[in-house]
Amino acid sequence: MLVSLALLLLGALAAVVTPRLMARADWPEREPVVALWVWQCVVAGVLLSFALSMTFSAAAAWQAVRGHVFAPAPRAVVEAYALGGHGRWSAAMAVLLALGGVWTAAMLTREIHRAQVRRRRRRTELLVRSPLMPGEEPGSGRLVVLEGERPDAWWLPGAAPQLVITTAALGRLKGRQLDAVLAHEQGHARARHDWLLYCSGALATGFPQVPVFAAFRDEMHRLVELAADDVASRRFGRLTIALALVELNEDRGVFGPRPAPDAQLPLRVNRLLTPVERLTAGRRLRLTAAAALVPVVPLLVAFIPGLSALG
């Protein structure tokens, strides 16, 4: 029971403290890829803590579960976890955590289903606005040009991903700006940022009161754009992608004095035009390694009593 409580408190502590620490840090904007990795490791650690807490609570509450969990373990290992007593509390905790796991899976399934519906709808609209020519296969071209007065460009993920761009955007983008926009969207596709958005959206929707999940969703939307900007800027320069963003969005009022729906765009452009020095390779490596250890902590908490008994 003590191990279950320790794991539960560890997950709760990480869920509360991490958003505050990351909000105070100034390096995520400089290293968005590292920040994406840190967030994924923290959320994985939180979920792993809750999953292990559920497992030990169920083992303490029901002999059948205990027999499966500790089937090959010596008697001394089982006794080290002090699973006897507190049966009702353990059962209640196990049931609540199991329901949380089922709810998380349901939210993720719903998020993926909604994304697939949106994708099919957009592909249908794309076929209506840009019908296939005789002999042309669906998805055969990676670039689709649509007639439109509004400058816009977006990446349509799927088995045959495509970059969709309007004629107004083609008229606005000059020189290598179109290539920079394509590189930006390809950066999203190669890193599978859509899956990060699905998972973060599912957790935030399913558990809106948990700070780490809400912050995870908001930061994923911000950091994936910064990471894709960096992919494009490394190939075509920061000024090129910054001008492309301005050309695509200046008619939407996002650069005006009033608050805009996409308030991150001016910040992204300022970041590209006034670059700050990246972290050193050593510090990036230390942050990456430290983040990778976060999911290891609940494993250590779970296995230390058994390993101590064997020792």
Side-chain angles (χ1 to χ4, degrees):
M1 185 65 183
L2 289 178
V3 175
S4 300
L5 288 174
L7 288 166
L8 186 63
L9 291 175
L10 178 64
L13 181 65
V16 172
V17 172
T18 300
R20 298 178 182 179
L21 293 178
M22 293 295 286
R24 294 174 184 174
D26 61 350
W27 61 266
E29 187 172 311
R30 299 161 64 185
E31 298 293 344
V33 175
V34 178
L36 286 170
W37 170 251
V38 170
W39 273 107
Q40 291 175 75
C41 290
V42 169
V43 171
V46 170
L47 295 177
L48 184 59
S49 296
F50 292 158
L52 289 171
S53 179
M54 178 195 68
T55 301
F56 284 109
S57 297
W62 298 292
Q63 182 64 40
V65 177
R66 189 184 313 172
H68 287 290
V69 173
F70 293 95
R75 184 179 183 84
V77 171
V78 180
E79 292 176 350
Y81 286 92
L83 298 174
H86 309 287
R88 292 183 179 179
W89 288 106
S90 297
M93 187 185 301
V95 170
L96 286 176
L97 291 172
L99 289 175
V102 172
W103 183 247
T104 301
M107 290 296 100
L108 181 57
T109 302
R110 188 183 72 167
E111 195 74 20
I112 294 174
H113 175 69
R114 287 182 173 180
Q116 291 174 340
V117 170
R118 289 194 301 267
R119 189 183 306 161
R120 284 195 295 266
R121 186 186 303 122
R122 298 190 79 173
R123 288 195 180 278
T124 302
E125 295 173 354
L126 186 62
L127 288 175
V128 172
R129 297 180 61 185
S130 179
L132 298 176
M133 300 297 290
E136 185 180 2
E137 296 292 333
S140 57
R142 294 178 64 85
L143 180 64
V144 179
V145 180
L146 294 180
E147 188 74 28
E149 298 180 356
R150 181 179 179 178
D152 203 358
W154 67 90
W155 189 262
L156 193 59
Q162 294 175 302
L163 175 66
V164 184
I165 190 167
T166 62
T167 52
L170 288 177
R172 289 283 188 89
L173 299 176
K174 304 174 182 63
R176 299 200 302 169
Q177 291 175 6
L178 176 60
D179 295 327
V181 170
L182 179 60
H184 173 97
E185 299 299 339
Q186 286 177 335
H188 286 312
R190 290 197 185 99
R192 300 310 304 265
H193 287 160
D194 52 335
W195 280 102
L196 283 178
L197 299 180
Y198 297 156
C199 295
S200 61
L203 289 170
T205 302
F207 305 95
Q209 303 302 321
V210 180
V212 71
F213 295 151
F216 182 46
R217 176 196 55 195
D218 296 340
E219 284 298 284
M220 289 304 98
H221 281 276
R222 184 177 76 96
L223 292 172
V224 296
E225 294 299 336
L226 299 185
D229 287 344
D230 288 347
V231 170
S233 67
R234 281 194 290 269
R235 292 183 58 187
F236 300 100
R238 289 179 171 269
L239 180 60
T240 302
I241 185 62
L243 291 175
L245 290 174
V246 172
E247 294 290 351
L248 289 175
N249 296 281
E250 65 177 346
D251 292 340
R252 302 180 188 181
V254 297
F255 298 104
R258 297 181 180 179
D262 194 351
Q264 290 296 328
L265 265 171
L267 300 178
R268 288 168 57 193
V269 172
N270 290 336
R271 173 179 178 270
L272 290 166
L273 294 179
T274 56
V276 295
E277 187 178 354
R278 295 187 62 187
L279 301 181
T280 63
R283 188 176 178 189
R284 292 200 301 271
L285 181 60
R286 289 193 295 271
L287 283 171
T288 302
L293 292 176
V294 172
V296 178
V297 174
L299 292 175
L300 291 175
V301 173
F303 290 119
I304 278 178
L307 294 175
S308 300
L310 289 176

